[in-house]
Amino acid sequence: MASVSNLGYLVLGVSDLDAWEHFAVDIIGLQAGQRVAGESLALRMDDYAQRLLLEKNDADDLLAAGWEFDTDEQLDAFVAHAAAAGVKVDEADAALTKRRRVGRLFTCLDPDGVAHEFFTRAERAPAHDMFRSKVLKSRFNTGRLGVGHFVAVPKSVERTDAFCKQVLGLKVSDYARGEMAPGVVLEIAFFHALTGRHHSMATAKVPFPFKKRIHHILVEAIDPNDVGLAYDRCTRANVPVAMELGHHPNDQMFSFYVQTPSGFALEFGSGGVVVDDDNWEVRQYAELSDWGHRHHPPARHEPRAGE
Ligand SMILES: [Fe+2]
């Protein structure tokens, strides 16, 4: 079966584009790309023309996950496989393909109604416009590993896990079950794509009603010092910290979590492992973090005057 290479982009529906631009560019370290005033803002993390696409939308949630294929032949084989599995996959029209800045694009919905997009030939920024972060010491860990990851909170974890495995062709990395607060147990399944980022997507079963489609997205820096530097920028700018600095035992990510202007979290990490399928054993972890990641009560992002 033709495999997804990696999670190449995320499309987020955000109600406040200006707050997001300040958060993403000045604090997290992405670079503003193409902008359509009042409608959308592309954010860069490397030589791709866009890695996060913010679209003005009151959902304040994930709108689409963009899965990259290495060749058109692999994309065609995947689309045929998904259709044979009973999933309605549509070829995107020229306008959507242009907005995503890719060569070819197909779309489908998962069992929760979340859009998944499948593409090849992502547009790169011109050579004279190399990626520059205002604040990063190193760079983002992207390339063949893709944009990062997202953790979905589906209405039916069982149905979405089956979609991940049987339609997307992702492989299970491991499972974790642990308390995020006393008595509040979270169960997470982690899935990786062909190029091996420990997880491009995970699904979380939470024991309470959850308003968003995602718990968080992750961006990863090469240098762990960038995690500490980003943590300092967040606390200085009064961005609510959702989870303090800590470490995950499964993907080995050293990270912290902050609340984005849309309410869901962003994990800023470094040091995540890459799965080698020939030498990988799926494990069940009994804790989500082996140190740190102390949880803060959720709070609204309220930028201070002048931010
Ligand atoms: Fe994460």
Side-chain angles (χ1 to χ4, degrees), residues 149-151 190 199 202 215-218 248 251 253 255 257 267:
H149 68 232
F150 69 100
V151 175
F190 300 86
H199 54 288
H215 176 268
H216 71 269
I217 62 173
L218 162 118
H248 293 301
D251 69 351
M253 193 72 79
S255 63
Y257 295 67
E267 178 182 12

Side-chain angles (χ1 to χ4, degrees), residues 19 22 27 232-240 300-307:
H22 168 59
I27 297 173
D232 280 353
R233 287 193 300 275
C234 287
T235 52
R236 270 202 306 273
N238 207 23
V239 178
R300 282 297 302 164
H301 176 74
E302 289 172 342
R304 292 183 301 187
E307 265 191 52

